Amino acid sequence: MTEPSTHSYRTHTCAALTTAHVGRAVRLAGWVNRKRDHGQLLFIDLRDHYGVTQCVFMPESSAFTLAEAVRLESVIAVTGRVIARTEENVNPALPTGQVEVVVDQIDVLSPAETLPFQVAGTYDIPEEQRLRYRFLDLRREKIHANIVLRSRVIAAVRRRMQEQGFLEFQTPILTSSSPEGARDYLVPSRIHPGKFYALPQAPQQFKQLLMVAGFDRYFQIAPCFRDEDARADRSPGEFYQLDVEMSFVTQDDVFAAIELVLAGVFNEFSTGKVSEPPFPRIS
């Protein structure tokens, strides 16, 4: 058995191991997703951002007793040897489903307390509990995937805007009032007592400054702050929008630029397809 690298936490992620790694010594780190005690064998499904790997603890191993005591969602690092699963134990639903790690050593990096709700699985959890323990809620598979999707959608929007010659700018957050139909959030000034900054409802003034200055095409994934009640399509108080400004253009030029972004993003990430540009126009 070859020795793993000297990295303190891991040589591979929990989605990386395949039959090509059989016989190799590896180190993995992550959260205890599930535990199954089969008497003479103890199984832990170890989870990280990338995926899940099944770890096996033999009763003769010094790691067995510690693994028995560790709670779900504890953070652990394990060192062991990759073996192929028997044919009847292969899990085709997992990228790592053809292998498992026989553990020789376990290090508990952060022991978990008793959980207020189960992270693994698809249980219905009251929203108040989910928000109170948001750090646990974000570990759940569906919620974790939603956050990853959001990041990828924003990256895809950014890429398509840049491909059309748009420049991305970050505009100030502490600014003067720029009314957009809602109340401003105000921030008191320490340096100028009695005076206030306003959080932007939209970057309207700044993007128009950029056009006057000659930058031609601007965009921003812009945070917007509005002191208004909740709506069905966004949280109260703050939301993000794709903010755009263009110079020397007609309405059709604006439509054409945004159609490419909308069609591209929906066709890349949604299960259904949308019409290719140009979209039908309603007079």
Side-chain angles (χ1 to χ4, degrees):
M1 183 173 72
T2 58
E3 290 298 320
S5 78
T6 56
H7 194 283
S8 301
Y9 298 111
R10 63 187 181 191
T11 58
H12 301 78
T13 70
C14 291
L17 299 179
T18 67
T19 52
H21 298 95
V22 169
R24 291 181 58 180
V26 296
R27 184 177 292 114
L28 304 176
W31 287 259
V32 177
N33 195 52
R34 286 187 174 92
K35 285 179 65 177
R36 299 181 302 283
D37 192 342
H38 291 186
Q40 295 303 309
L41 291 175
L42 176 67
F43 294 92
I44 286 181
D45 289 343
L46 191 64
R47 182 193 77 242
D48 65 6
H49 168 72
Y50 304 96
V52 174
T53 295
Q54 179 170 281
C55 301
V56 187
F57 295 81
M58 304 293 188
E60 63 271 17
S61 168
S62 59
F64 187 87
T65 303
L66 193 55
E68 273 189 317
V70 75
R71 290 192 180 103
L72 294 178
E73 292 306 306
S74 295
V75 183
I76 63 173
V78 298
T79 303
R81 177 172 50 87
V82 182
I83 65 171
R85 295 198 198 189
T86 58
E87 187 175 345
E88 63 271 18
N89 290 323
V90 168
N91 184 352
L94 288 178
T96 59
Q98 291 185 304
V99 297
E100 56 194 7
V101 175
V102 178
V103 177
D104 302 316
Q105 178 186 337
I106 177 173
D107 297 301
V108 180
L109 305 178
S110 179
E113 299 178 357
T114 302
L115 299 175
F117 54 79
Q118 293 297 316
V119 171
T122 56
Y123 307 100
D124 288 330
I125 302 166
E127 186 175 49
E128 183 178 348
Q129 265 198 312
R130 289 180 54 199
L131 295 177
R132 182 180 297 276
Y133 300 99
R134 184 61 167 165
F135 66 97
L136 291 177
D137 188 43
L138 289 170
R139 297 181 191 179
R140 297 167 61 216
E141 184 176 4
K142 180 180 179 181
I143 307 303
H144 190 93
N146 285 346
I147 298 296
V148 172
L149 175 63
R150 183 182 189 277
S151 176
R152 289 175 177 167
V153 167
I154 290 174
V157 167
R158 180 173 281 118
R159 183 178 71 250
R160 287 177 169 85
M161 295 299 289
Q162 290 169 338
E163 286 172 352
Q164 296 185 73
F166 285 86
L167 297 175
E168 182 177 12
F169 293 93
Q170 284 73 44
T171 52
I173 297 298
L174 293 176
T175 178
S176 58
S177 180
S178 175
E180 293 282 341
R183 288 184 295 272
D184 290 322
Y185 278 109
L186 300 178
V187 179
S189 170
R190 178 183 59 83
I191 300 173
H192 305 286
K195 296 188 177 182
F196 297 82
Y197 299 103
L199 300 182
Q201 296 187 35
Q204 189 68 37
Q205 294 175 334
F206 296 106
K207 66 181 181 180
Q208 289 174 339
L209 280 172
L210 291 169
M211 294 305 99
V212 172
F215 287 99
D216 200 70
R217 289 188 166 203
Y218 143 94
F219 85 98
Q220 182 181 186
I221 311 297
C224 301
F225 305 90
R226 301 182 182 183
D227 188 3
E228 60 187 6
D229 295 333
R231 299 188 184 185
D233 61 347
R234 66 179 182 233
S235 300
E238 63 177 291
F239 60 92
Y240 282 78
Q241 68 182 26
L242 171 59
D243 200 67
V244 181
E245 192 72 46
M246 305 166 69
S247 293
F248 305 111
V249 290
T250 65
Q251 179 174 272
D252 283 342
D253 295 320
V254 178
F255 285 167
I258 300 305
E259 282 172 349
L260 289 175
V261 176
L262 289 176
V265 168
F266 275 92
N267 284 331
E268 182 174 347
F269 293 101
S270 67
T271 52
K273 297 298 181 181
V274 300
S275 302
E276 292 298 324
F279 295 162
R281 306 289 172 83
I282 300 174
S283 63

